[in-house]
Amino acid sequence: MKYLGLAYFTPEKFAAMAPADVRALVSQCPALDEKMRATGKVLVSASLGDLDGWRTLRPRNGKTHVSDGPYTESKEMVGGLFIIEADSHDEALRIASMHPAARIGEEGGWAVELIPMDFYLT
């Protein structure tokens, strides 16, 4: 089974952190990411770009309408994603718990949501 992991952050909490604290936090991520990838079960892992570059596309009157920024009004925003292939839900949880947003970053409002995928194309 494949699972989508969404890594969240809280922009206001992250922005309130001192730059040195942000650098110290982010510097811990590569080692944690590598540990997760070393399982051999990670198919995709990505950090998402700055929110200012996000665009939302939706159908309107038979045409595609493009608007600025994230569509969802939320206190938490998706900052990264990963896809893993696991033999069980417990294995998926074990692997997802290795992601930096599941282990560190409480001060930035980090969290991971793990979602089973019903359909996947390569």
Side-chain angles (χ1 to χ4, degrees), residues 21-96:
D21 292 340
V22 171
R23 285 191 299 278
L25 176 63
V26 172
S27 72
Q28 298 175 65
C29 294
L32 294 170
D33 284 333
E34 182 52 40
K35 182 178 179 181
M36 191 174 83
R37 283 193 301 275
T39 66
K41 300 283 188 164
V42 178
L43 305 177
V44 173
S45 181
S47 293
L48 302 182
D50 187 19
L51 297 175
D52 291 338
W54 288 31
R55 299 296 177 265
T56 300
L57 293 81
R58 68 174 57 104
R60 286 231 175 108
N61 300 318
K63 295 182 181 178
T64 302
H65 175 76
V66 179
S67 60
D68 291 343
Y71 170 66
T72 56
E73 298 283 332
S74 175
K75 290 182 181 181
E76 295 179 327
M77 297 301 303
V78 177
L81 63 93
F82 57 92
I83 297 174
I84 57 176
E85 186 164 15
D87 297 325
S88 69
H89 189 68
D90 287 341
E91 181 183 37
L93 286 170
R94 181 182 61 76
I95 295 167

Side-chain angles (χ1 to χ4, degrees), residues 25 28 32-33 35-36 94-107 110-112:
L25 176 63
Q28 298 175 65
L32 294 170
D33 284 333
K35 182 178 179 181
M36 191 174 83
R94 181 182 61 76
I95 295 167
S97 72
M98 297 177 190
H99 190 277
R103 301 182 61 94
I104 60 174
E106 182 177 349
E107 62 275 26
W110 285 9
V112 168

